[in-house]
Amino acid sequence: MIELTDVSKVYPGGVTALDSVNLTIPDGEIHGIVGRSGAGKSTLIRCLTGLDPATSGSISVDGVDLGQARGGALMKARRSIGMVFQHHNLLDSRTAEKNISHPLEIAGVPAKERKRRVEELLELVGLTDRRRNHPSQLSGGQRQRVGIARALAAEPRVLLCDEPTSALDSGTTRQILELIRRLRDRLGITVIIITHEMSVVREICDSVSLLSEGRIERSGALLDVIQDTGSPLSKELISLPPTAALRPGDTLVEALMAESSQLADVGQLFSLLSSHGLDARVEAGTIETIQGRQVGRLHIKPTTRAEAEQIAAMLRDHGIHAELTTGAEVEAERAAHEEDDARAEQQEENQ
Ligand SMILES: Nc1ncnc2c1ncn2[C@@H]1O[C@H](COP(=O)(O)OP(=O)(O)OP(=O)(O)O)[C@@H](O)[C@H]1O
């Protein structure tokens, strides 16, 4: 179990990057940490790995407090966390197998044991036939597999993944996420994934936390967080595509259909509206299957505000969360997203 208790980090100069963070991640869970640029994600990683200690509070892994442990106990605790990076950080001069064996060499593991372990790891990540290739001879996905195998070399209990798929295309991303899930199932490790990609969270995470200005704003099981419609994280996880030609003063009904909804699909919903003589059209909609359940968000545009209120009330009666929003609010949200994406892209280019 990973436990952060009142973790704060204040940099010299006075920037509070983490502000009383409390977080518990049970064994074997895949936990996503999301947040906008500057929210404190990198700082949290550095504190978790012990590279940059927290200013106050405690971080413990399997009951060992990283701030209190010394000598061999600290080394052991640090080794219990394996790191996977966005850009793999592989050594170009070494083959895949030599990259994987590198941390074992540093730890002084005898050659015979190293060979056995590397063999096992190559098999685990599906790269046995690429063992003698250098990073430049591997695809982005294969390089990330080497990075994952290397992170697992010291048999960590926790895999800490920093934007593990941000540099990969969507097909390769899916394969890497599938691999991470298989490794969790097979090895029983706990996985923390720091990402700005909501699709990664939807696809693989059991639970998720939203970090905002150094604080955990919302944390919980994925489906619970999505169904907590008041939470900004819910809107980010099931986001809507841009809506064409909305005027600032337009009134929209935003509906979230989740597990508790009595209406299973959009078709039924619209039959219901028309049976009540309500004229409305869907401006935008997203339906995702998450952990085997369908979750959908819709923007419905009625003709008048009075109709919008009527529709929202009717949806609520059928267990569908519905609230009114305006064209101006939708536009402001879209602009904030675009700004964040542009910043993430810029950072990617700078690296
Ligand atoms: N070494 C440092 N010294 C002073 N301030 C820092 C330092 N590192 C980060 N900060 C500040 O701490 C805050 C959190 O930064 P951090 O890099 O952890 O955010 P982030 O969520 O990882 O952002 P991004 O997604 O853009 O990488 C920011 O205000 C940042 O300017």
Side-chain angles (χ1 to χ4, degrees):
M1 183 159 82
I2 301 164
E3 206 156 16
L4 284 83
T5 312
D6 281 333
V7 172
S8 292
K9 175 73 187 178
V10 182
Y11 284 111
V15 176
T16 301
L18 296 176
D19 187 1
S20 289
V21 169
N22 288 292
L23 184 61
T24 301
I25 305 173
D27 285 342
E29 189 148 300
I30 302 182
H31 186 86
I33 295 181
V34 299
R36 292 189 189 282
S37 181
K41 303 184 296 296
S42 309
T43 304
L44 186 61
I45 290 176
R46 286 197 293 271
C47 290
L48 273 167
T49 54
L51 283 176
D52 195 0
T55 314
S56 59
S58 75
I59 298 176
S60 74
V61 178
D62 288 343
V64 178
D65 187 330
L66 296 183
Q68 301 294 319
R70 296 284 176 271
L74 180 61
M75 287 288 282
K76 193 164 168 236
R78 283 202 180 146
R79 260 193 235 128
S80 70
I81 301 177
M83 273 294 298
V84 175
F85 305 93
Q86 179 178 1
H87 291 290
H88 335 295
N89 294 12
L90 301 180
L91 297 168
D92 290 333
S93 58
R94 286 180 160 236
T95 59
E97 63 183 353
K98 293 270 187 230
N99 262 289
I100 298 170
S101 117
H102 194 220
L104 298 171
E105 289 164 30
I106 293 172
V109 175
K112 200 167 159 209
E113 168 63 9
R114 252 182 4 234
K115 195 166 176 301
R116 187 194 63 75
R117 191 85 191 103
V118 169
E119 206 65 50
E120 216 172 73
L121 289 160
L122 281 165
E123 190 270 325
L124 209 53
V125 300
L127 278 183
T128 305
D129 58 339
R130 294 301 200 127
R131 58 195 310 149
R132 294 200 217 294
N133 285 146
H134 286 263
S136 61
Q137 298 166 312
L138 298 171
S139 69
Q142 288 166 338
R143 284 200 287 270
Q144 191 55 294
R145 283 170 192 269
V146 177
I148 291 172
R150 184 190 50 187
L152 292 172
E155 302 187 68
R157 298 302 307 143
V158 177
L159 200 59
L160 184 51
C161 308
D162 184 9
E163 300 279 1
T165 57
S166 300
L168 305 175
D169 63 47
S170 59
T172 314
T173 290
R174 216 164 300 124
Q175 288 169 9
I176 292 295
L177 295 179
E178 191 44 49
L179 172 65
I180 292 174
R181 197 202 319 265
R182 249 191 307 118
L183 293 171
R184 184 277 304 268
D185 294 346
R186 191 155 154 190
L187 307 173
I189 49 175
T190 307
V191 180
I192 301 178
I193 300 186
I194 309 266
T195 182
H196 71 276
E197 296 174 299
M198 293 296 160
S199 55
V200 168
V201 177
R202 284 196 302 266
E203 188 134 343
I204 194 180
C205 292
D206 303 308
S207 57
V208 59
S209 293
L210 171 65
L211 196 60
S212 174
E213 295 181 2
R215 290 180 159 269
I216 299 273
E217 198 156 283
R218 179 74 170 93
S219 187
L222 184 58
L223 275 171
D224 289 349
V225 169
I226 287 172
Q227 291 181 77
D228 176 4
T229 49
S231 149
L233 190 47
S234 169
K235 287 189 191 199
E236 299 234 6
L237 282 164
I238 310 289
S239 65
L240 287 165
T243 312
L246 263 191
R247 288 186 307 256
D250 284 344
T251 302
L252 296 162
V253 180
E254 184 168 319
L256 182 82
M257 299 189 295
E259 198 188 5
S260 56
S261 306
Q262 290 167 24
L263 292 180
D265 65 46
V266 187
Q268 280 177 339
L269 195 152
F270 278 87
S271 321
L272 179 78
L273 296 184
S274 68
S275 72
H276 284 73
L278 291 166
D279 179 26
R281 68 164 200 252
V282 175
E283 281 290 332
T286 301
I287 294 179
E288 297 273 357
T289 301
I290 293 172
Q291 295 173 355
R293 303 209 177 104
Q294 277 206 326
V295 183
R297 190 184 296 280
L298 298 177
H299 269 163
I300 301 164
K301 192 170 162 211
T303 325
T304 63
R305 188 173 175 95
E307 271 193 5
E309 275 162 9
Q310 226 180 320
I311 290 171
M314 187 175 295
L315 294 174
R316 285 187 210 115
D317 283 349
H318 285 79
I320 296 172
H321 176 89
E323 61 186 39
L324 299 194
T325 182
T326 64
E329 281 169 354
V330 171
E331 177 56 25
E333 247 174 57
R334 189 194 59 74
H337 269 285
E338 270 187 10
E339 216 174 274
D340 219 43
D341 287 350
R343 220 176 292 142
E345 255 171 50
Q346 188 61 48
Q347 273 179 358
E348 173 87 352
E349 272 169 30
N350 292 344
Q351 277 173 7

